[in-house]
Amino acid sequence: MTIKAVLLDLDDTLWPVAPVIQHAEATLYAWMKDHVPKVVSSYDISALRSRRQALVVTDPRFSYDLWALRHRLLQDVFVEQGEDPVKADAAMAVFAAARNAVALYPDVTPALTELAKRVRLGTISNGFADLHSIGLAPHFEVSIAAHQFGCAKPDPRIFHAACEKLSLAPDEVLYVGDDLVLDVQGAQQAGLQAGWMNRRGLHSEHPHHAHIKPDAEFNDLHDLTQWL
């Protein structure tokens, strides 16, 4: 089946995400020192992270809506420490701005331009990065974020929704992402073809992933362009 569209993951596919999150959390914490000092006196960044992880299981929504999870955490600790919970809105604005200050992999912008000459492009992400703020939105015909859609990868519904927006059958679409389970296996189980973005040169033969066989493997988006 001819590939008519390529859907891309975002975090660790178009930019490295770990430094972005670290920077965003540090930026938020610096803001909190000035605006909610009682919270900072009781929690460091690590403690807030642990508290957030414990909060995930308290509401099914938090499994796919990472913005709501962080917002709820801030509200909870603000109230607990006698701070105004309304400040959580401003705090999340600070975090989101830093979250969108990504450093694209060097191949991304030129490769997207080349890819658009060959196929239709879209994105599916479990994160809440804003492609408009980042400046990549014009490259994509459709973009679906889990926190807005209502479920996250590897749920087949989020893959099917993107295909429906493109008016294409799943087997006409290639999904490319860095996570073998969420991206590759998830897309294949939804009927899409799946490419593994392996920028770090990992081995797919990990015992837990031996059963997952990508339809293709790429070191960067230029590899994807050549494969197409």
Side-chain angles (χ1 to χ4, degrees):
M1 180 67 70
T2 301
I3 297 296
K4 297 182 178 179
V6 172
L7 298 171
L8 297 168
D9 173 49
L10 299 180
D11 292 332
D12 284 331
T13 296
L14 302 188
W15 56 76
V17 72
V20 174
I21 298 299
Q22 291 170 1
H23 169 68
E25 290 182 342
T27 300
L28 172 59
Y29 198 73
W31 179 91
M32 290 169 62
K33 288 180 179 178
D34 293 331
H35 296 86
V36 285
K38 294 178 183 177
V39 175
V40 172
S41 67
S42 299
Y43 291 94
D44 60 14
I45 293 176
S46 178
L48 288 170
R49 190 178 297 124
S50 297
R51 180 77 178 263
R52 187 179 71 252
Q53 291 170 345
L55 191 60
V56 172
V57 299
T58 66
D59 189 330
R61 179 183 179 186
F62 296 154
S63 66
Y64 64 83
D65 192 339
L66 303 183
W67 189 97
L69 172 63
R70 287 186 178 274
H71 186 264
R72 174 61 179 276
L73 167 69
L74 294 173
Q75 286 183 317
D76 287 353
V77 296
F78 288 6
V79 169
E80 177 188 286
Q81 299 299 320
E83 299 281 8
D84 186 351
V86 174
K87 292 181 179 179
D89 294 340
M92 282 303 298
V94 170
F95 181 87
R99 173 68 170 85
N100 290 321
V102 303
L104 300 176
Y105 290 115
D107 56 286
V108 170
T109 300
L112 287 177
T113 300
E114 287 301 311
L115 285 168
K117 298 175 182 177
R118 293 170 167 79
V119 291
R120 299 162 70 186
L121 296 175
T123 69
I124 301 174
S125 177
N126 284 359
F128 60 89
D130 186 336
L131 290 174
H132 291 280
S133 297
I134 293 169
L136 290 180
H139 290 283
F140 302 110
E141 186 174 338
V142 57
S143 291
I144 298 180
H147 74 286
Q148 296 171 330
F149 181 70
C151 71
K153 300 176 296 184
D155 192 309
R157 291 175 294 175
I158 198 167
F159 293 102
H160 291 160
C163 294
E164 289 170 7
K165 285 180 177 292
L166 293 166
S167 298
L168 294 174
D171 60 4
E172 297 177 304
V173 179
L174 173 74
Y175 187 79
V176 178
D178 68 288
D179 191 296
L180 281 168
V181 176
L182 299 181
D183 297 326
V184 174
Q185 182 174 262
Q188 290 176 332
Q189 290 180 342
L192 289 73
Q193 298 187 55
W196 184 30
M197 182 57 70
N198 186 15
R199 291 184 179 274
R200 294 181 291 168
L202 302 176
H203 293 289
S204 61
E205 293 81 12
H206 188 284
H208 296 300
H209 299 148
H211 62 292
I212 302 174
K213 307 296 182 184
D215 295 292
E217 181 176 335
F218 312 113
N219 294 321
D220 57 28
L221 289 183
H222 292 312
D223 277 357
L224 169 57
T225 303
Q226 292 300 313
W227 184 82
L228 288 170

